[in-house]
Amino acid sequence: MAGERPITGRPFVYVGARVDLAHRRLLAATRTGDVEYAVAEGVGELLRATDEHRHRPSLRGARADRSVVAEARDAIIGGDPAAESLASLAVSLHVSPGLLSRYFSRVLGMSVTRYRNSVRVGHVLDRLADGEESLATLSSDLGFADQAHLCRTVRTHLGYTPSAVRRILDPNRRPGR
């Protein structure tokens, strides 16, 4: 960004769900009355989450690997129906499911399913921040098998249940709501 050499290609930075939540928590802290303490706490949490995230593998591997992964990422982020399963995503990209899995692991350091779930958890964060009340509706809209699947996935990625995340994103929220 500030270097003398231009960046070529399609660079991207993967931001995991924990970093996303820490950032949202920091933003929520700026809206509370105890700004100095809450913001300092939020900055510390964001730095810790970012430091944990930094140890993930960076883009590497053959250009074809990166190209296929970039197309798969675009399909997942864009909500392409083919991205709902590894098999259908692989067919749409004209590669085998095994090859797509290997490319994803090599390039991003995680499975296709983990990446897809992290994108869905990002959507959960958006909806909860916007005031979504029904976890059943949320799970149905975002393609989770059921509300329990949503809760397990969010807890796995964030370390918190959706109800706890809702309270984190709205510190003025009364318990039980």
Side-chain angles (χ1 to χ4, degrees):
M1 291 176 94
E4 294 179 18
R5 293 183 312 160
I7 298 175
T8 58
R10 294 181 61 197
F12 65 89
V13 176
Y14 170 74
V15 176
R18 289 183 192 263
V19 173
D20 189 11
L21 178 60
H23 179 250
R24 290 168 188 263
R25 201 172 194 175
L26 174 60
L27 294 176
T30 63
R31 295 187 294 269
T32 65
D34 187 16
V35 175
E36 291 178 10
Y37 173 75
V39 170
E41 182 92 3
V43 168
E45 182 180 347
L46 181 59
L47 290 173
R48 283 188 301 277
T50 304
D51 187 51
E52 291 170 10
H53 170 77
R54 195 169 37 117
H55 298 291
R56 288 196 174 279
S58 61
L59 271 179
R60 60 182 189 263
R63 180 169 289 147
D65 297 9
R66 291 192 310 267
S67 176
V68 170
V69 170
E71 287 181 53
R73 286 181 59 254
D74 290 345
I76 292 167
I77 291 169
D80 185 333
E84 291 178 9
S85 76
L86 174 63
S88 61
L89 182 58
V91 166
S92 75
L93 297 172
H94 308 290
V95 296
S96 71
L99 189 61
L100 180 58
S101 291
R102 284 191 301 280
Y103 282 177
F104 241 81
S105 294
R106 186 179 308 141
V107 173
L108 292 181
M110 70 179 67
S111 70
V112 175
T113 300
R114 181 151 181 89
Y115 181 79
R116 184 184 319 105
N117 282 339
S118 71
V119 169
R120 290 195 297 180
V121 168
H123 294 309
V124 169
L125 288 171
D126 291 339
R127 296 275 296 269
L128 290 175
D130 289 343
E132 177 68 57
E133 292 293 328
S134 171
L135 295 181
T137 299
L138 195 57
S139 65
S140 174
D141 290 353
L142 297 177
F144 291 95
D146 54 27
Q147 187 174 328
H149 182 215
L150 165 80
C151 293
R152 281 191 313 274
T153 303
V154 169
R155 187 176 200 128
T156 297
H157 283 262
L158 300 177
Y160 299 97
T161 63
S163 297
V165 170
R166 188 181 284 134
R167 286 189 299 275
I168 288 168
L169 296 176
D170 185 2
N172 299 318
R173 187 179 184 88
R174 286 176 279 153
R177 262 202 48 121

